[in-house]
Amino acid sequence: KQWYQRRVRGSVDEHSFRVVAADAAECQPYETDAVQIHVGERFDVEITFEESEENRSYYMRAVTPSGDENRGIFSLINVRGSSYKEGDTFPDPKTTFYTQPNQILNCVLHEAFKGVANCQPITNLKPAELLDMPDLEKIEYHIVDFDDESSPLSSHFVALDNGVFKQSVMPTKAMIRDDFDMIHDMHPNTNVLSLDLNDTIVMILRSATAFPHPIHLHGHKFEILEVAPRKDPLCPNSRCSWQYIATAFSRSIPSIAKQPKSVVKDTVIIPAGGLIAIRFVTDNPGVWAMHCHLDQHLEDGQFLIMDEGGYRHSNFPEDYPSCNYTGRIPMHEKTACVCMQHLNLYKPKNVKSFYQCSEPHLCGQTQYSDEDLAIFENVKAENARVVNQLLDTVTSRNRPEEAETWDSVVKKFLDDIKKLS
């Protein structure tokens, strides 16, 4: 059998350990029995073995969050004693696996924040040194929202500062080049956040998706100020509500933003239907990506670009990577569209605007004209019956004998709206 798992829980049988660094940033030693690790995260740990344990072996395990020991990776730790000689063999470990450690660090499960003692958030870690605090008198705030559309129309969307949700496309030419043209070389749906140098940035990352994402920032390490779990009781079994997400923090954002130094990392797990607050200083001029560390999600559009200080450069080595720009279709000529409207209709939530798609399989099917969109807006209040009927049809796609093709669903809906108007 094969399983696709995004997260693992690392532990060593019969031993706790001390976390001393996270993502290569030192932290104060933190004792725990296990740590949850998502794609792109790194933890340095110290384990103490007693003299009485010499010439023994222990399993080091990385298993799924559910604690199923049959779905995991196993390695051996052999404890060499003073009597060890080169070539000596170790007996097989006799240790057993525990499904519920006394304490798990870096939890993002919903139940973890309901008083379950063994689940500890990453903010329990503290920096090894209390470095100088950033300037908290002038803070620049930004909101980054993530959403997705599940299979078979797999796509991920990002909205900046309550703007339009866009399926971002990575430029095929390096933005750092001084001949980069923001119109010709940049896809219209790519999210770019322009930041001045030496500012204190507090960024609120929010996710309406039904599973956690490891969000990674290039060019910086950031402080994780707070991690808020999902509050929506129906999520993730249904779409996560933005109404619940907006109220998930335990206190006001200004009070979170001005708290003392917190754990420093470059990758953080944003909970399903939850949000996090991070803080950093724009002291590294360049063009930096923030993205989900799952390759599929990155390719599907879950990233944004931070243009820090407007830094550009003209002198590049002859072998500097060009992202195969030569001969590629200019970005402004590539696919860009308002997503097929059923992407919005069968998401039972309030969308800020129409979602902007960038992939041919999301743009190349039946589209609404501007006239049709105007009709849709005008009769939205009157067509609850039609929308509910459409939702029932979409739900029935799991029943082959009743399922309709997407094109016929969209056409039927459009015809019904025109009849209403």
Side-chain angles (χ1 to χ4, degrees):
K1 294 183 179 179
Q2 294 181 344
W3 297 274
Y4 172 53
Q5 290 293 334
R6 301 176 177 88
R7 292 168 289 150
V8 294
R9 194 182 74 196
S11 63
V12 178
D13 287 359
E14 298 186 3
H15 290 79
S16 61
F17 49 76
R18 294 173 301 281
V19 176
V20 296
D23 297 351
E26 290 188 42
C27 62
Q28 297 177 25
Y30 185 86
E31 193 85 13
T32 188
D33 299 304
V35 61
Q36 185 168 252
I37 309 171
H38 214 318
V39 179
E41 291 190 295
R42 295 91 66 204
F43 291 91
D44 293 359
V45 303
E46 294 178 348
I47 309 171
T48 298
F49 296 97
E50 305 297 336
E51 290 186 9
S52 60
E53 298 178 281
E54 68 176 53
N55 299 328
R56 290 191 60 186
S57 298
Y58 298 92
Y59 280 123
M60 180 168 58
R61 306 175 188 259
V63 300
T64 63
S66 64
D68 185 349
E69 63 175 316
N70 295 314
R71 300 184 178 184
I73 304 168
F74 307 93
S75 183
L76 284 176
I77 295 180
N78 297 326
V79 183
R80 295 181 177 182
S82 57
S83 62
Y84 174 80
K85 299 182 183 62
E86 192 67 35
D88 284 355
T89 60
F90 289 80
D92 291 337
K94 303 297 183 184
T95 56
T96 57
F97 175 70
Y98 50 82
T99 57
Q100 288 297 327
N102 293 326
Q103 185 169 294
I104 307 171
L105 178 66
N106 199 27
C107 273
V108 294
L109 302 177
H110 181 43
E111 295 75 14
F113 298 87
K114 283 188 173 181
V116 178
N118 70 350
C119 231
Q120 305 297 325
I122 190 63
T123 47
N124 277 18
L125 293 182
K126 304 302 177 187
E129 299 180 66
L130 292 179
L131 303 176
D132 293 339
M133 286 287 291
D135 182 3
L136 301 182
E137 295 303 316
K138 184 180 179 182
I139 298 176
E140 184 174 324
Y141 294 89
H142 291 283
I143 297 175
V144 180
D145 288 334
F146 299 106
D147 204 354
D148 71 347
E149 179 59 43
S150 58
S151 178
L153 301 174
S154 299
S155 48
H156 287 78
F157 302 90
V158 179
L160 292 180
D161 296 327
N162 293 314
V164 175
F165 277 94
K166 299 178 180 180
Q167 184 182 26
S168 287
V169 177
M170 192 71 75
T172 52
K173 184 177 182 180
M175 277 186 64
I176 201 172
R177 302 184 71 102
D178 61 359
D179 61 350
F180 186 88
D181 186 329
M182 292 294 288
I183 296 177
H184 186 273
D185 299 325
M186 178 67 74
H187 192 278
N189 286 351
T190 297
N191 281 294
V192 178
L193 180 61
S194 296
L195 301 172
D196 293 332
L197 288 178
N198 301 315
D199 282 344
T200 300
I201 306 296
V202 169
M203 194 172 285
I204 310 301
L205 309 180
R206 311 189 299 184
S207 174
T209 67
F211 46 85
H213 295 270
I215 303 300
H216 175 65
L217 174 60
H218 289 239
H220 287 277
K221 292 193 183 295
F222 49 77
E223 298 174 82
I224 304 173
L225 302 178
E226 182 158 338
V227 179
R230 64 180 182 267
K231 296 174 64 177
D232 187 346
L234 300 180
C235 171
N237 295 321
S238 66
R239 301 299 301 180
C240 303
S241 166
W242 286 109
Q243 178 182 358
Y244 283 99
I245 296 171
T247 60
F249 277 145
S250 63
R251 50 203 166 118
S252 69
I253 291 178
S255 65
I256 293 173
K258 295 186 177 183
Q259 71 181 44
K261 295 286 286 187
S262 187
V263 58
V264 176
K265 292 178 93 265
D266 58 35
T267 304
V268 63
I269 306 175
I270 180 170
L275 67 164
I276 61 177
I278 63 173
R279 183 174 64 197
F280 61 95
V281 176
T282 53
D283 55 5
N284 190 17
V287 179
W288 308 114
M290 172 180 277
H291 62 91
C292 178
H293 227 303
L294 295 170
D295 289 346
Q296 177 187 348
H297 297 179
L298 171 60
E299 291 296 322
D300 285 343
Q302 193 174 8
F303 75 91
L304 62 111
I305 295 173
M306 295 196 321
D307 187 2
E308 187 171 340
Y311 180 76
R312 297 294 183 268
H313 196 67
S314 57
N315 297 319
F316 288 87
E318 292 184 1
D319 59 350
Y320 185 80
S322 63
C323 306
N324 297 321
Y325 182 72
T326 303
R328 287 243 183 140
I329 299 174
M331 274 292 172
H332 70 286
E333 296 180 8
K334 297 192 74 171
T335 302
C337 69
V338 173
C339 302
M340 292 182 295
Q341 295 306 303
H342 64 260
L343 287 178
N344 292 335
L345 288 175
Y346 94 89
K347 290 181 178 182
K349 63 188 175 83
N350 296 318
V351 293
K352 297 179 179 64
S353 182
F354 293 119
Y355 283 42
Q356 303 293 319
C357 281
S358 308
E359 294 294 334
H361 72 281
L362 297 173
C363 292
Q365 302 182 36
T366 302
Q367 301 281 313
Y368 285 145
S369 66
D370 291 341
E371 179 183 358
D372 294 330
L373 290 175
I375 293 173
F376 173 75
E377 289 297 322
N378 291 334
V379 303
K380 187 186 299 183
E382 304 175 34
N383 67 2
R385 177 191 62 81
V386 180
V387 173
N388 288 334
Q389 188 176 26
L390 175 65
L391 293 175
D392 291 340
T393 304
V394 173
T395 303
S396 73
R397 71 185 190 278
N398 294 322
R399 302 192 295 274
E401 68 277 7
E402 299 177 29
E404 301 181 55
T405 65
W406 285 114
D407 281 348
S408 63
V409 168
V410 174
K411 183 177 184 302
K412 179 178 181 299
F413 175 71
L414 185 56
D415 289 343
D416 285 343
I417 284 183
K418 288 183 176 179
K419 289 177 184 177
L420 285 174
S421 63

